[in-house]
Amino acid sequence: MVAAMTKAALSLTFSDDQAAAWDRLADLLAKAGIDILDESTAPPDPEGDSAVLAVLGKAGSGKTMLLSELTKALVTAGVETVSGDYEGKRRKERRTLAILAPTNKAASVLRNRGVPATTIHRILYTPVYDPEYEKIAEWLEGAGPRPDMPDLGDTALDRAKAFYDTVKSIPGALAAAGLRGSDFIKGWKRREDPLDIGFIDESSMLDSRQMEDLTEIFQTLVLFGDPAQLAPVGQSGEMVFDTLPAPQKLELHRVHRQTQDNPILDLAHALADPELQFEGFERMIEQAAQRDERVVWAQRVESDLMARSPVLVWRNVTRIRLIHAFRAAHGAPDSELLPGEPLICDGLELPLKHRKRRIDLEARGLIKGAQCVYLGPGKRPGFSRLHVFGAEEPQVSAASIIKIEKEGEEEPFIPYAATMGAAFLHGAAVTIHKAQGSQWPDVQVFAPDLYAAARAGRTEAGVPLWKRLAYVAITRAEHRLLWVVRNRLGRPSGPLRIDDLGGTPAPFALEVQDDG
């Protein structure tokens, strides 16, 4: 009921199903001891019942708006948001909220909308701070006096305070004071203490193991997901929220008012028509392109976009061909990478005994699927300087194994390789599966691949595979969709660049230490 809404929520234009979901979630939180109507909290009850609820809806149904407003209401009620960067001393009465996403890119999409999101990994593993610098963290959080640190100086402390007052990030504030991560973070440990409330965005990407971890940590868990996306590989077309009983699933059916004039979302929702065939869908795209500049019927791939926004494909063979065409267009040599070439983290190649090093790399944002740009070689052999999109401190120097696959050959070409470290594939083109959770201002979808999927006649969870692929691909576009209909590549307008990448200045770039 609307009566259950906070004053802030009442000032918004909620759809009927958003309002119903708000009321249901407010009731769930009230049972957990947090009243967002009265803006009050009760101490957590460790013996209280755990609860899981899923909020499901297609692109444009208002899931992110609902998540954002619920976050504001919880903060207003006195709930503390937990980022995973630093946690002060525990207080028995403290109520906590963590907003999580499966990847750094997905988390950064939320942060760009003002939601303090972090990755699931940063909550599962927490940093261990050097006791000397932990005094600064406590002071910044208001839990301790201003420390006396002659070696650092008052000017550096002032810079840290000014940064933290603007951006609530302890590592960012310490970096602003001139410190590197290796100065103040001495290690990582698996979380031992439970947390209170967890909001999980892009939950269609979760696998069963991640879901088990999250239900162990959070007493109240709310999943936000899109049932029309692709299920994780190896999950047999099933998403984690599919197993929940019907009363634990809330569905947002209506496209929110603010998205009704979006031709990209119109195309995405048109795919729900069971009678729609691939040829008919392409006619819709061509007609939309004639009416609206946000949809482009493209005769070739734009190589300029590929450096920051990968071409989305279905088949690996297409991905490899486009990558080599991109490198050839920029005159990239076979023996090395050019600064500015895009990369995708393909996981970590480390033995089990190097657990600390693995946790450290992942904490820097180098998790499977992370999108990066190569900045140049590191100071040590096998190290690369990288810009990690979505990471709070994006410039990292890390031991790297960079692989460029070759068409028709099992073994990739490796221009740079450490004995162990983060593995990367080229990122000028990626599969639609790997693009889930990410968004870019402009997105190029390679239509011949989706036509091949339509001809193959495959289905996933009873839906033609080409429709799921098309839905995920076109909803990655924030502003402009380029539907590429020919196997051609346009010439780049200029050389690759890195001067457009912000982040921590090079002298303060984080270097992941080799622990032997």
Side-chain angles (χ1 to χ4, degrees), residues 393-417:
E393 296 175 84
Q395 293 192 10
V396 176
S397 178
S400 309
I401 303 152
I402 298 172
K403 307 173 184 179
I404 300 178
E405 299 142 294
K406 293 185 176 181
E407 188 179 351
E409 296 185 22
E410 289 187 11
E411 293 299 321
F413 164 65
I414 301 178
Y416 297 99

Side-chain angles (χ1 to χ4, degrees), residues 272-293:
D273 181 358
E275 302 300 320
L276 183 66
Q277 302 297 313
F278 183 82
E279 292 77 7
F281 184 61
E282 283 214 312
R283 282 196 297 273
M284 292 178 67
I285 294 174
E286 194 169 13
Q287 291 166 2
Q290 293 169 359
R291 299 190 305 267
D292 199 303
E293 63 183 8

